């Protein structure tokens, strides 16, 4: 019998989409059978986004620096869709005490305003097979696109792209977990 977290992993990636004028919001809460620290690490590693995130052609990030009991960095993403490519820079803030990662748009033409928020809850427990890792996460992005062309494209593609993005993060965490297991197997 599958663990409940495994069934949830196979469930839909459709989150809640809301619009308010030009502002779009996507929010989803899901449970996955992975260590919370592994998921947080994956979201924090903006430099790797170009390797797995749809439409992300280039991803760069400054090192995190501790500031006011949290870590802050700046990340720049070059986003491409068809013949349109643009970039934006965000401040990325990790608050370890809240298991939360926020990104706030600083500049670029893609967004007039953008904020994203990841929160993580460790749901690891002891089960019949021993320690069963688990994480419940909530991801929310609120954005207003930077020009009418992006707004038109964004409104049409926003639901599907948001779902693809969340699925890509989960798949990336899964790849890292499997790679860690292979390293352990090789050592033994």
């Amino acid at each position: 019998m599958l663990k409940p977290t495994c069934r949830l992993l196979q469930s839909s990636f459709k989150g809640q989409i809301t619009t308010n004028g030009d502002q779009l919001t996507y929010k989803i809460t899901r449970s996955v059978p992975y260590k919370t620290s592994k998921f947080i690490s994956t979201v924090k590693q903006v430099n790797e986004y170009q390797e797995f995130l749809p439409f992300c052609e280039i991803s760069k990030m400054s090192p995190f620096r501790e500031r006011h009991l949290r870590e802050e960095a700046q990340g720049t993403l070059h986003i491409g869709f068809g013949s349109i490519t643009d970039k934006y820079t965000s401040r990325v803030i990790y608050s370890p005490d809240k298991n939360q990662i926020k990104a706030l748009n600083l500049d670029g033409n893609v967004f007039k305003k953008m904020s994203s928020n990841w929160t993580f809850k460790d749901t690891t427990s002891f089960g019949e097979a021993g320690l069963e890792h688990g994480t419940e996460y909530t991801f929310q992005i609120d954005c207003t696109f930077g020009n009418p062309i992006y707004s038109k494209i964004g409104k049409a593609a926003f639901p599907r792209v948001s779902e693809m993005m969340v699925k890509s993060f989960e798949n990336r965490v899964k790849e890292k977990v499997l790679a860690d297991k292979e390293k352990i197997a090789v050592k033994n």
Side-chain angles (χ1 to χ4, degrees):
M1 185 167 133
L2 292 173
K3 296 184 287 186
T5 53
C6 290
R7 273 188 253 127
L8 285 173
L9 181 64
Q10 297 167 354
S11 69
S12 171
F13 285 88
K14 292 189 186 313
Q16 178 183 3
I17 303 275
T18 55
T19 60
N20 183 5
D22 285 342
Q23 184 173 340
L24 298 169
T25 299
Y26 173 80
K27 182 176 182 180
I28 189 166
T29 299
R30 290 179 43 86
S31 294
V32 292
Y34 309 125
K35 286 183 179 181
T36 302
S37 61
K38 186 65 73 177
F39 213 123
I40 289 172
S41 172
T42 300
V43 174
K44 283 179 63 180
Q45 294 171 351
V46 174
N47 284 330
E48 295 182 4
Y49 285 12
Q50 64 195 12
E51 298 172 18
F52 69 93
L53 201 59
F55 312 110
C56 182
E57 296 180 358
I58 300 171
S59 54
K60 297 178 182 179
M61 185 160 178
S62 68
F64 276 96
R65 294 205 167 112
E66 283 198 40
R67 192 170 178 207
H68 307 293
L69 301 176
R70 57 189 191 184
E71 299 173 23
E72 293 187 14
Q74 284 193 9
T76 300
L77 300 182
H78 293 246
I79 305 299
F81 187 78
S83 62
I84 300 172
T85 300
D86 213 330
K87 68 178 182 174
Y88 68 96
T89 300
S90 296
R91 175 176 290 121
V92 180
I93 304 163
Y94 171 53
S95 301
D97 60 326
K98 298 177 184 175
N99 277 348
Q100 179 182 62
I101 301 171
K102 288 185 175 187
L104 306 167
N105 184 52
L106 297 175
D107 67 20
N109 297 318
V110 178
F111 301 108
K112 185 188 302 183
K113 293 190 315 186
M114 187 284 299
S115 65
S116 67
N117 189 36
W118 292 86
T119 55
F120 304 90
K121 179 181 175 186
D122 188 344
T123 59
T124 299
S125 62
F126 277 100
E128 292 177 19
L131 190 63
E132 297 175 355
H133 294 289
T135 299
E136 179 183 280
Y137 72 86
T138 298
F139 171 71
Q140 179 170 329
I141 183 168
D142 301 292
C143 66
T144 304
F145 289 95
N147 69 47
I149 294 171
Y150 291 168
S151 184
K152 187 171 185 167
I153 293 170
K155 283 183 180 180
F158 191 69
R160 181 71 182 122
V161 170
S162 297
E163 292 168 15
M164 290 170 63
M165 189 175 86
V166 169
K167 187 174 185 177
S168 294
F169 274 100
E170 284 190 21
N171 286 339
R172 182 64 169 196
V173 175
K174 182 179 181 180
E175 288 173 9
K176 288 184 172 200
V177 168
L178 292 174
D180 288 349
K181 287 181 180 178
E182 287 178 14
K183 286 179 190 174
I184 292 170
V186 169
K187 286 182 182 180
N188 294 330

